[in-house]
Amino acid sequence: LAVATLLAVALAAWQLAKRHKIRVLLCLVLAALLGTSTVAARINFIGKFAPTWGDLFSLITASNDSEDVVPIMAAKKANYHADFTEVTDRQIWAENLGGELLETTFRGPNSQVENRVFVWAPTGWQKMQNLPVVEFLHGFPGAPEKVPQQLELGKGISQLVQSGKIPPLLVVMPFLNADAQAPDCVDIAGRPAVGTWTARDIPELIKANFPAATDAQHWTLGGISAGAYCAGILSMQEPKTFGSTFIFSGYDHPLLGGLTNPQLQSEYTLTNMLQKSGAMNIYATAAGDDTEAIQLLKNLQNTARPQDIVVTDYSKVGAHNWETWAKDFARALPWKAD
């Protein structure tokens, strides 16, 4: 596709030299279509949203006529043991970043969702106890492979630990895309149970395989963009699992998945859910002219109750990108530690 894009541009230049304006226009339109397809194909390769042509058709023809949201499934006794292996792909992780990056593919006993899970752990984690946990959700399109390097997990966390600002901790990065459609955040009838996968199966997986703390006070659910919205919704639904929330460049109302159904969209705004939840600890950020994120900060300020701790962090410098989120993460961790 990339080669075809370049050929179309070259053909446009050739037709321009011959002063064939209509042919130039057609070639440029073709180049634009091919260029867009190239970018889409690359995003799909990284995120694996549509591994087959059938999945692609399902993604294109997906409907938002979803059934009702169903409660997150109750945990059942199951074997949560998994074999985690060290990530050696230098495009995902480099040893000089500090700590260890581990990976496994796991099928949740409750959700029946099977997907990849990445865990960043500090060096020597095997001899530690009661490690705090940050479960961090990627955006859409997106994948957890981007998170470790873009947030500078090894270097950033190591520096904060050495300075005494935070204790050693685990960062867990599950893959949210259960099929070719955009993730729903919550469990919706007839759809993969991504809410149960994220808020039930992943915590149980980590507690069974790592020296992780078990109380909600030491568990944080966070994310970026679409993952930030999901983190907000799920932490409000599961306060017994997650004691705090990071919302980096999030938004108030659902923009993706089954919750965009008009029957559900107004109910599942973060501010509406906040009014129905128990006391919340939230660190929310926005930067630059990120309209949706800025509006969320204002809405949270207006909605927060006396029992809530809501920190809204706005920076004029920055945008809806990894550079901004890396800075957000570095500021949010000490806040959580305090």
Side-chain angles (χ1 to χ4, degrees):
L1 286 172
V3 171
T5 301
L6 294 176
L7 290 175
V9 172
L11 184 59
W14 183 46
Q15 295 299 327
L16 181 62
K18 290 189 170 186
R19 300 181 183 275
H20 293 158
K21 295 181 179 180
I22 295 179
R23 293 180 183 178
V24 170
L25 180 60
L26 291 175
C27 289
L28 290 177
V29 170
L30 177 60
L33 291 173
L34 289 170
T36 302
S37 299
T38 303
V39 174
R42 180 59 181 170
I43 291 173
N44 182 61
F45 176 78
I46 295 172
K48 296 179 174 59
F49 306 109
T52 69
W53 289 108
D55 291 330
L56 179 61
F57 178 77
S58 297
L59 181 62
I60 295 172
T61 59
S63 171
N64 285 329
D65 296 331
S66 304
E67 299 296 333
D68 292 338
V69 172
V70 296
I72 289 176
M73 302 174 192
K76 59 184 178 182
K77 293 182 179 180
N79 180 13
Y80 280 91
H81 173 76
D83 294 323
F84 282 83
T85 58
E86 185 176 356
V87 175
T88 57
D89 187 341
R90 291 293 183 268
Q91 292 185 344
I92 299 176
W93 189 247
E95 291 180 356
N96 60 1
L97 292 177
E100 299 179 27
L101 187 64
L102 307 170
E103 177 187 10
T104 192
T105 297
F106 181 71
R107 176 178 289 275
N110 297 285
S111 65
Q112 296 304 307
V113 170
E114 183 175 8
N115 229 324
R116 291 171 292 160
V117 182
F118 290 84
V119 177
W120 181 88
T123 302
W125 62 268
Q126 297 89 339
K127 298 180 180 180
M128 299 178 183
Q129 293 181 342
N130 295 322
L131 289 172
V133 180
V134 176
E135 184 178 343
F136 203 81
L137 309 180
H138 60 81
F140 183 86
E145 292 96 326
K146 290 283 186 180
V147 177
Q149 294 211 71
Q150 295 292 345
L151 292 187
E152 299 181 343
L153 292 185
K155 178 182 176 182
I157 293 178
S158 297
Q159 290 178 346
L160 290 171
V161 171
Q162 291 172 6
S163 65
K165 294 181 179 179
I166 66 171
L169 54 85
L170 300 168
V171 181
V172 182
M173 297 148 281
F175 204 169
L176 300 183
N177 304 320
D179 59 14
Q181 298 183 31
D184 301 307
C185 292
V186 299
D187 291 359
I188 294 179
R191 297 280 298 127
V194 291
T196 293
W197 159 258
T198 306
R200 188 77 69 197
D201 284 332
I202 297 302
E204 293 297 328
L205 171 69
I206 300 307
K207 292 172 185 177
N209 293 276
F210 294 87
T214 58
D215 58 300
Q217 180 182 354
H218 291 94
W219 275 75
T220 300
L221 185 60
I224 57 170
S225 191
Y229 169 80
C230 291
I233 288 293
L234 290 173
S235 60
M236 292 174 191
Q237 287 187 326
E238 294 295 307
K240 293 183 179 180
T241 302
F242 304 104
S244 56
T245 313
F246 295 161
I247 302 176
F248 301 157
S249 298
Y251 38 81
D252 198 355
H253 57 281
L255 300 178
L256 299 168
L259 291 181
T260 57
N261 184 312
Q263 297 177 348
L264 300 174
Q265 194 170 38
S266 60
E267 180 181 356
Y268 280 86
T269 63
L270 289 182
T271 45
N272 183 52
M273 294 294 292
L274 178 60
Q275 295 176 33
K276 300 177 182 180
S277 70
M280 296 295 299
N281 297 320
I282 298 174
Y283 191 104
T285 71
D289 58 355
D290 193 346
T291 306
E292 292 283 354
I294 294 171
Q295 187 60 52
L296 173 61
L297 298 195
K298 295 177 181 179
N299 293 351
L300 288 173
Q301 289 172 340
N302 294 332
T303 308
R305 305 156 300 177
Q307 65 267 36
D308 299 319
I309 299 175
V310 177
V311 175
T312 53
D313 184 352
Y314 171 72
S315 175
K316 291 182 179 180
V317 179
H320 199 91
N321 59 31
W322 282 109
E323 182 179 359
T324 296
W325 298 327
K327 295 176 181 177
D328 293 341
F329 193 69
R331 291 194 301 270
L333 288 179
W335 168 81
K336 175 61 182 71
D338 291 340

